[in-house]
Amino acid sequence: MTSAGRRWLLRDPSPDAQFRLFLFPYSGCGASMFRAWPRWLGPVEVLPVQLPGRENRMREPHFGTYEALADSAAEDLAPYLDRPYGVFGHCGGALPAFEAVRRFEERGLRSADRCFVSSQVAPQDGPFGGFLGMSQLELREKLMTLLAALGSKDPAEDLIDMVLEVLEADLAANRAYRIEVPRRMRTPITAIGWDADRDVPHALMTGWNAWAPTDSVVLPGHHYSFLDPPTILLELLEEGTTRP
């Protein structure tokens, strides 16, 4: 793996993988949030993406905007787009994942075979989400809930402060990202909603159809169900990545 690629991926991609699935993390989090996910979905290699400013990239500056992030991703991940692949993002990870897919196309790189967006409205319908209007104190409380969901039962105060700083920068990028007029793209989309998701109701996700042919799916679960991914989600991702 190239040195640039090593920053973005926690492990070397297998040269024998038939397909790849790149996972973009949730706002405020790093690639380790996908630690409960399997490394393979049948012939699909699962590759969590590490963003700047967190975990092993903590010393790097925050990416600033989704557009700047997508530019960097297109530059450094290009060598690993050499075979069929999909891209997945949930909520605050869905928009940077989507923007990266757009940038791959714009640069003439191999297009993703499918872009999976979970619990997120389309860019022309945002910004949307309860976190966006919260005070720092409210964000801190929500962060404690998220860290508990990730398995951190009693996080240190300095860890909370560090993650909170990243979360606030990620939310600023979310607020700044809006594309008023959708532009059609080649990559088809699967919009994944959750029937008990109160943070991003699936009924608000219809705008993705304006960008590309879109399959809309509602799965049983709540906003954080993807962390310990149910079989139905994994089967959906495998099928969507591998089918022609």
Side-chain angles (χ1 to χ4, degrees), residues 10-124:
L10 299 186
R11 54 181 178 264
D12 289 357
S14 170
D16 300 322
Q18 297 178 50
F19 306 88
R20 290 178 176 144
L21 178 65
F22 297 93
L23 310 178
F24 278 67
Y26 194 90
S27 294
C29 298
S32 67
M33 76 178 307
F34 294 109
R35 60 179 172 268
W37 285 56
R39 295 185 64 162
W40 292 86
L41 301 175
V44 181
E45 183 179 23
V46 177
L47 295 170
V49 173
Q50 189 67 285
L51 305 185
R54 60 212 78 201
E55 296 181 351
N56 62 308
R57 302 185 69 180
M58 189 181 303
R59 296 184 183 277
E60 298 180 40
H62 190 271
F63 52 80
T65 66
Y66 292 156
E67 291 85 351
L69 176 68
D71 279 333
S72 296
E75 187 74 26
D76 294 340
L77 292 178
Y80 312 107
L81 310 181
D82 60 343
R83 64 201 66 196
Y85 69 95
V87 176
F88 170 87
H90 175 88
C91 194
L95 294 177
F98 169 74
E99 183 61 23
V101 167
R102 292 199 333 122
R103 201 55 47 93
F104 297 159
E105 288 194 4
E106 290 174 359
R107 291 200 174 194
L109 302 173
R110 182 177 188 137
S111 297
D113 287 72
R114 186 157 292 268
C115 180
F116 301 93
V117 290
S118 173
S119 291
Q120 184 57 267
V121 302
Q124 72 275 16

Side-chain angles (χ1 to χ4, degrees), residues 41-208:
L41 301 175
V44 181
E45 183 179 23
V46 177
L47 295 170
V49 173
Q50 189 67 285
L51 305 185
R54 60 212 78 201
E55 296 181 351
N56 62 308
R57 302 185 69 180
M58 189 181 303
R59 296 184 183 277
E60 298 180 40
H62 190 271
F63 52 80
T65 66
Y66 292 156
E67 291 85 351
L69 176 68
D71 279 333
S72 296
E75 187 74 26
D76 294 340
L77 292 178
Y80 312 107
L81 310 181
D82 60 343
R83 64 201 66 196
Y85 69 95
V87 176
F88 170 87
H90 175 88
C91 194
L95 294 177
F98 169 74
E99 183 61 23
V101 167
R102 292 199 333 122
R103 201 55 47 93
F104 297 159
E105 288 194 4
E106 290 174 359
R107 291 200 174 194
L109 302 173
R110 182 177 188 137
S111 297
D113 287 72
R114 186 157 292 268
C115 180
F116 301 93
V117 290
S118 173
S119 291
Q120 184 57 267
V121 302
Q124 72 275 16
D125 297 327
F128 178 86
F131 280 26
L132 298 175
M134 288 184 181
S135 67
Q136 189 175 77
L137 179 59
E138 290 171 324
L139 282 175
R140 194 180 188 87
E141 292 173 351
K142 280 286 189 181
L143 188 55
M144 294 292 290
T145 301
L146 177 57
L147 289 173
L150 288 169
S152 182
K153 302 302 181 184
D154 189 22
E157 287 295 317
D158 57 347
L159 172 63
I160 297 172
D161 292 340
M162 190 179 307
V163 177
L164 182 59
E165 183 178 351
V166 174
L167 175 59
E168 290 180 314
D170 285 354
L171 293 176
N174 191 318
R175 293 188 194 97
Y177 185 71
R178 182 181 173 88
I179 305 175
E180 298 288 348
V181 181
R183 297 187 289 276
R184 298 293 287 183
M185 50 190 249
R186 294 187 296 275
T187 301
I189 295 171
T190 294
I192 304 169
W194 301 84
D195 63 1
D197 189 344
R198 297 183 179 180
D199 293 283
V200 185
H202 60 82
L204 301 180
M205 295 179 60
T206 57
W208 291 105

